[in-house]
Amino acid sequence: MKSRFSLEGKTLLVTGASSGIGRCVAVECAKMGARLVINGRNQERLNQTLSMLEGTGHQAIAADLSDHEAVSAMVDQLPQLDGVSHNAGVTSIGMIKFIKADDWQALSQNNVFSAIWLTRCLVAKKKLNKPASVVFTSSISGNDSVRHGEALYAATKSALSGFAKAAALDLAPQGIRVNCVHPGMIETELFHSSQDALTQDLDEMKKLFPLKRFGNPEDVADGIIYLLSDTSSWVTGTELKIDGGYTLI
Amino acid sequence: MTLDQFVQQFAEQFDETPANQFTPATDYKSLEEWGSLTTLGVITMVDAEMGKRITGSNLLACTTIEELYNFIQRV
Ligand SMILES: NC(=O)c1ccc[n+]([C@@H]2O[C@H](COP(=O)([O-])OP(=O)(O)OC[C@H]3O[C@@H](n4cnc5c(N)ncnc54)[C@H](OP(=O)(O)O)[C@@H]3O)[C@@H](O)[C@H]2O)c1
């Protein structure tokens, strides 16, 4: 029997696919039958992901999504899409008194404007089918909880989730659903670089999770697949926390 | 940045520990206020004021403020 979460026949764009969560989303969506266009900046790691995808007809387009002209050019090359999983994002940790004037510009360009402009171009250039599903990988940070040093990052992620809700409302008449996933701590490159900056004792930290472990990229990919699949066809504007219960306590 | 200036900047990352408790020989990890927030303060101070990137593991590997200062000179 075909899975209720099947993505067969769907063409999807997955950003942030050269690493971590985005790479895992691409691999898992291909397993569920989707044809993929994957994006990242690093061509070599993007090609690695391409070689990991089951099935045929997949395509990789390297582009820096913080550059609006590059986004427009990428969207021109895209086929018609049934869904988007936007994972591109960078982290930033620091104390408020050391924020530099251009830090916000750089981070928000990467984490918020990339999503806004990508959505804008997809809609304006009519690249999204009816129905279509757009899923943004936001974060619990800034939306459900924060940790020390996350001020700028949290601000970008709450802006992203705010944009997603507004987009869900505005695009509903066109049959486009827009949702977010809010992951907690997921073991990826980004996670390990930020943990090194904080020197957290990882075993101690795990105890802060009611489910007693950090997340893995598959945990997030499964939530994204639900939101991309027709199983969630009556779900829009929602925020799916995937955090092992971290924000319950 | 001189060692004395570094000690002063280091002390500024602490809200409760009085500045006069900080000397080049201070074993910073034994201070009661040492933790994730002060670690973050020192890492971002070193980045902002000295243009050097250090990690939490680097901070764990040194003992005194002077040792850390010397380590940063080599980064
Ligand atoms: N890991 C966690 O604990 C966690 C928790 C909550 C939310 N998140 C969010 O999940 C998303 C993925 O994180 P991750 O942990 O998988 O990080 P990661 O391993 O560092 O991957 C980040 C991905 O985003 C891409 N990217 C970043 N900026 C880009 C830009 N300007 N243009 C195009 N691509 C760009 C990177 O491409 P290149 O490497 O090719 O440059 C890479 O593929 C991020 O939005 C992050 O904020 C992560």
Side-chain angles (χ1 to χ4, degrees):
Chain A
M1 199 181 78
K2 200 167 128 184
S3 158
R4 286 166 58 75
F5 300 95
S6 169
L7 300 174
E8 255 167 57
K10 291 192 191 294
T11 303
L12 307 174
L13 169 68
V14 178
T15 74
S18 51
S19 174
I21 294 172
R23 169 176 279 173
C24 180
V25 170
V27 168
E28 297 301 318
C29 285
K31 279 187 199 160
M32 298 303 282
R35 190 165 70 99
L36 299 178
V37 181
I38 56 172
N39 161 263
R41 287 173 299 195
N42 183 299
Q43 184 82 57
E44 200 183 324
R45 281 188 280 106
L46 196 60
N47 286 340
Q48 261 171 22
T49 306
L50 194 61
S51 70
M52 294 160 73
L53 302 181
E54 263 180 35
T56 53
H58 309 300
Q59 182 190 353
I61 305 178
D64 181 347
L65 302 184
S66 66
D67 171 351
H68 72 276
E69 286 177 3
V71 174
S72 303
M74 179 181 82
V75 171
D76 285 336
Q77 295 178 58
L78 291 174
Q80 286 299 116
L81 299 172
D82 303 293
V84 178
S85 163
H86 180 61
N87 306 285
V90 290
T91 188
S92 143
I93 298 176
M95 303 293 280
I96 288 172
K97 65 181 170 184
F98 292 122
I99 291 174
K100 294 193 282 298
D102 50 7
D103 285 350
W104 168 252
Q105 181 63 27
L107 198 70
S108 62
Q109 196 76 15
N110 242 305
N111 289 0
V112 190
F113 189 70
S114 66
I116 295 175
W117 194 251
L118 176 63
T119 309
R120 182 258 181 226
C121 291
L122 289 169
V123 172
K125 295 178 193 238
K126 300 195 175 2
K127 291 286 184 175
L128 295 172
N129 288 333
K130 284 185 189 187
S133 167
V134 177
V135 185
F136 293 121
T137 299
S138 182
S139 175
I140 55 170
S141 179
N143 292 299
D144 310 290
S145 75
V146 274
R147 295 188 300 150
H148 284 308
E150 289 186 344
L152 286 184
Y153 180 75
T156 64
K157 289 299 187 180
S158 58
L160 176 60
S161 295
F163 171 73
K165 277 194 192 144
L169 184 63
D170 283 1
L171 300 178
Q174 298 172 44
I176 301 167
R177 299 185 291 113
V178 184
N179 292 290
C180 281
V181 289
H182 288 182
M185 275 152 258
I186 311 296
E187 288 197 71
T188 62
E189 290 288 308
L190 184 143
F191 169 88
H192 284 291
S193 58
S194 54
Q195 291 322 303
D196 194 35
L198 289 165
T199 5
Q200 305 270 13
D201 178 336
L202 294 186
D203 287 330
E204 276 302 304
M205 271 196 77
K206 269 184 199 157
K207 293 184 188 150
L208 301 174
F209 289 76
L211 295 178
K212 300 289 177 237
R213 66 169 175 90
F214 298 123
N216 53 53
E218 287 78 8
D219 293 318
V220 185
D222 286 343
I224 292 173
I225 286 172
Y226 160 67
L227 291 168
L228 288 171
S229 74
D230 296 338
T231 309
S232 61
S233 62
W234 206 52
V235 179
T236 194
T238 201
E239 294 164 347
L240 179 59
K241 256 195 297 178
I242 303 174
D243 72 344
Y246 181 78
T247 52
L248 292 172
I249 46 177
Chain B
M1 187 184 289
T2 64
L3 175 60
D4 282 348
Q5 287 166 332
F6 183 70
V7 172
Q8 195 191 334
Q9 289 280 346
F10 194 101
E12 278 182 24
Q13 308 318 313
F14 291 72
D15 293 317
E16 279 151 29
T17 318
N20 63 14
Q21 283 200 19
F22 293 86
T23 71
T26 301
D27 171 0
Y28 53 85
K29 292 191 294 285
S30 68
L31 296 169
E32 205 178 316
E33 207 186 333
W34 183 252
S36 60
L37 190 56
T38 42
T39 298
L40 202 56
V42 173
I43 290 173
T44 27
M45 176 273 285
V46 170
D47 184 12
E49 306 289 334
M50 303 169 86
K52 302 272 180 88
R53 295 237 159 169
I54 59 167
T55 67
S57 319
N58 299 148
L59 284 172
L60 283 182
C62 297
T63 305
T64 65
I65 298 181
E66 183 167 13
E67 212 181 313
L68 178 65
Y69 176 80
N70 290 334
F71 170 79
I72 294 166
Q73 303 308 310
R74 297 192 299 269
V75 172

